[in-house]
Amino acid sequence: MTSWLCLMSPVVQMVERETALLKKIDINVAESEKRSGKNTVNMQETYTVYLIEIRWVGGLPVGDSPWRRYSEFELLRTYLLVTYPFVVIPPLPEKRAEFVWHKLSADNLDPDFVERRRLGLENFLIRVASHSVLSKDKIFYQFLTEVSADSRLKSLSATLRVKNPDKSFTDLKQYSDELNSAISHLLRVRAKVADRMYGVYKVHGNYGRIFSEWSAIEKEMGDGLQSAGHHMDTHSASVDDILEEEEHYADQLKEYLFYTDALRSVCRKHELIQYELEMAVLDLASKKQQREELTTGAVRVFSLKGMSSKLFGQESPEQRESRLAALQQSIQASEDAVLDKNQECREFMRMSWEEVKRFKEQKDRELREALISYAIMQISMCKKVGDNMGTATCDPHHVTRTM
């Protein structure tokens, strides 16, 4: 039952110890614990907390060993999303069981699910600590080593529509959607196949019981029937371990399913910067138009001030000069704002595309390794099943062939 748990270590080993932080410390989500308490609406609830242990490479502990709820990990990730919008932030493991075959519990307090989540949270922390920028964040370090959470773990949301979206980010959003769709489809197919496989294996369990009962009333074929029944029972019982081992590879796919949301977050932040740039450009254009109208006296569009000047007379030259000077100063400030926003946009694009390139290389490498390992596991499983069934059918009496 625990064979798949041992396979989680290669996921962690995929993350290279490329930052100064990971060269100094080891990060572990050491254990989980169920607790009970009252939630925000004063209702009793049961939840799970996870113990974070940080040790120097030599073995000595670093700071406190805080217990964190899953919701606190969500706050940390939201803080990182807000603070480093150009970074493809690593995803958290699933909050609720998804894409599971029907015999696997979807209960968030189920021990197997909690253990898988514990390993996923540890993997999340190691990925953040392995990042050259995120690993230097003070709040992240406090999250690892201090019992109290920082108040700056906060959220931010903005939904805006830009007039001229950047094609490269439009393509990135499409890439994210296609990756999400492909992995979701693969996980759904895997869950259906696993469900069907479970049914087939359990049918063999029924045959095993029939063969065993049959052996009790047969004199000449009794031993052969008993042997065949034993092999059927063994074959049937093996499906639980097989599917739990498969779940490990499904978890690796789910991680990249959730990574697609991080890609979309980068796109949303770029849309926000692009929107602010477009608003600054429009504001500058409006002020330049006002300057032209004030200079020439020609009003291109209806305005309250233009109507007032016709009703109550023109401004004095001194008033016009004063307004023109103030307007020129405002235009200069708007031009500076446009230049700054342009620079911010270019810098964001530069940093984000470095991140996207790093993410794609990581994704290609890790998913290739995971799918190859999955294929090897399937080949090994089929060979093992074939050997077992071959042993059963090689009985001198060819008992199973008579069926």
Side-chain angles (χ1 to χ4, degrees):
M1 294 289 287
T2 59
S3 60
W4 67 273
L5 296 177
C6 301
L7 293 171
M8 284 301 292
S9 55
V11 179
V12 175
Q13 292 169 3
M14 288 179 184
V15 179
E16 298 178 0
R17 304 178 75 89
E18 58 186 10
T19 64
L21 182 62
L22 277 185
K23 289 178 181 177
K24 296 178 181 178
I25 64 173
D26 289 318
I27 301 175
N28 295 288
V29 178
E31 58 181 284
S32 60
E33 181 180 291
K34 287 184 181 179
R35 292 184 182 177
S36 297
K38 292 186 177 181
N39 57 23
T40 55
V41 292
N42 208 34
M43 294 183 64
Q44 195 74 13
E45 66 170 344
T46 301
Y47 56 89
T48 305
V49 291
Y50 301 87
L51 178 65
I52 301 175
E53 288 188 349
I54 309 299
R55 294 183 177 276
W56 298 110
V57 172
L60 295 176
V62 181
D64 302 319
S65 294
W67 291 88
R68 302 287 191 204
R69 295 184 64 172
Y70 183 89
S71 57
E72 292 179 273
F73 282 87
E74 288 183 308
L75 282 173
L76 171 64
R77 186 172 185 275
T78 301
Y79 161 76
L80 295 175
L81 282 169
V82 173
T83 309
Y84 306 97
F86 58 90
V87 175
V88 182
I89 306 295
L92 291 168
E94 58 190 335
K95 189 169 187 176
R96 297 175 179 82
E98 299 177 9
F99 303 108
V100 297
W101 53 290
H102 79 286
K103 292 297 179 181
L104 186 67
S105 174
D107 181 5
N108 290 354
L109 299 177
D110 177 77
D112 287 339
F113 176 76
V114 170
E115 179 62 10
R116 286 170 46 227
R117 179 192 275 181
R118 181 190 70 79
L119 292 167
L121 293 174
E122 180 177 289
N123 190 48
F124 165 76
L125 294 178
I126 291 175
R127 286 198 183 278
V128 174
S130 71
H131 194 278
S132 57
V133 175
L134 302 181
S135 61
K136 298 184 178 77
D137 187 88
K138 181 181 178 182
I139 302 302
F140 172 62
Y141 188 77
Q142 291 176 349
F143 183 88
L144 296 176
T145 58
E146 296 182 11
V147 174
S148 59
D150 192 275
S151 61
R152 280 195 289 160
L153 299 179
K154 55 189 178 180
S155 63
L156 176 69
S157 63
T159 55
L160 303 167
R161 182 175 294 277
V162 297
K163 294 182 178 179
N164 300 302
D166 188 280
K167 185 179 185 303
S168 57
F169 282 91
T170 302
D171 292 342
L172 178 61
K173 191 183 296 184
Q174 183 178 355
Y175 168 83
S176 171
D177 292 341
E178 290 174 353
L179 180 61
N180 182 287
S181 177
I183 295 178
S184 297
H185 179 70
L186 186 58
L187 286 167
R188 281 193 293 269
V189 170
R190 183 261 161 187
K192 289 181 181 179
V193 171
D195 197 31
R196 185 174 299 177
M197 183 188 299
Y198 184 87
V200 170
Y201 271 68
K202 290 309 177 182
V203 166
H204 283 77
N206 294 333
Y207 280 128
R209 178 177 55 80
I210 292 171
F211 274 60
S212 296
E213 292 176 356
W214 189 5
S215 67
I217 59 176
E218 290 285 349
K219 295 181 179 179
E220 296 183 1
M221 296 192 303
D223 292 341
L225 290 168
Q226 186 67 35
S227 177
H230 172 73
H231 284 290
M232 292 286 185
D233 290 337
T234 301
H235 179 66
S236 174
S238 66
V239 69
D240 296 312
D241 288 340
I242 291 171
L243 292 180
E244 286 181 4
E245 190 172 330
E246 280 192 7
E247 204 64 32
H248 154 68
Y249 297 104
D251 285 343
Q252 288 179 272
L253 289 175
K254 288 177 185 178
E255 182 184 19
Y256 277 92
L257 178 69
F258 304 142
Y259 254 125
T260 59
D261 182 62
L263 291 175
R264 284 192 287 266
S265 294
V266 173
C267 294
R268 285 194 294 269
K269 179 58 180 178
H270 178 264
E271 288 178 355
L272 174 60
I273 297 174
Q274 184 74 22
Y275 178 82
E276 291 174 346
L277 175 59
E278 290 180 358
M279 293 299 102
V281 170
L282 287 175
D283 180 63
L284 177 59
S286 175
K287 290 177 180 177
K288 285 183 176 180
Q289 181 180 329
Q290 292 177 39
R291 182 180 62 182
E292 181 183 353
E293 292 174 354
L294 189 60
T295 303
T296 62
V299 181
R300 294 185 179 180
V301 294
F302 173 82
S303 68
L304 183 59
K305 286 186 178 180
M307 181 61 69
S308 297
S309 65
K310 289 184 178 181
L311 293 175
F312 304 107
Q314 296 289 335
E315 295 176 309
S316 67
E318 292 78 10
Q319 290 175 321
R320 290 182 62 191
E321 286 297 327
S322 176
R323 283 187 57 201
L324 192 59
L327 190 56
Q328 185 61 40
Q329 187 176 0
S330 179
I331 288 173
Q332 183 60 51
S334 294
E335 287 177 341
D336 292 340
V338 170
L339 288 174
D340 290 343
K341 191 57 66 174
N342 254 318
Q343 178 63 28
E344 181 185 354
C345 192
R346 285 195 297 268
E347 186 66 10
F348 180 87
M349 291 183 67
R350 183 189 66 79
M351 293 188 296
S352 60
W353 282 112
E354 288 178 359
E355 275 293 310
V356 170
K357 180 182 177 182
R358 184 190 66 82
F359 164 76
K360 287 184 176 181
E361 290 173 352
Q362 170 190 300
K363 185 257 310 179
D364 291 344
R365 180 179 69 253
E366 295 188 0
L367 285 187
R368 183 185 299 111
E369 292 177 5
L371 293 173
I372 289 173
S373 298
Y374 178 75
I376 292 173
M377 187 210 75
Q378 292 291 331
I379 293 171
S380 175
M381 177 194 71
C382 292
K383 184 178 179 182
K384 182 178 179 180
V385 169
D387 291 343
N388 289 340
M389 297 308 295
T391 302
T393 57
C394 287
D395 183 85
H397 299 288
H398 303 289
V399 174
T400 58
R401 293 182 182 178
T402 64
M403 296 300 293

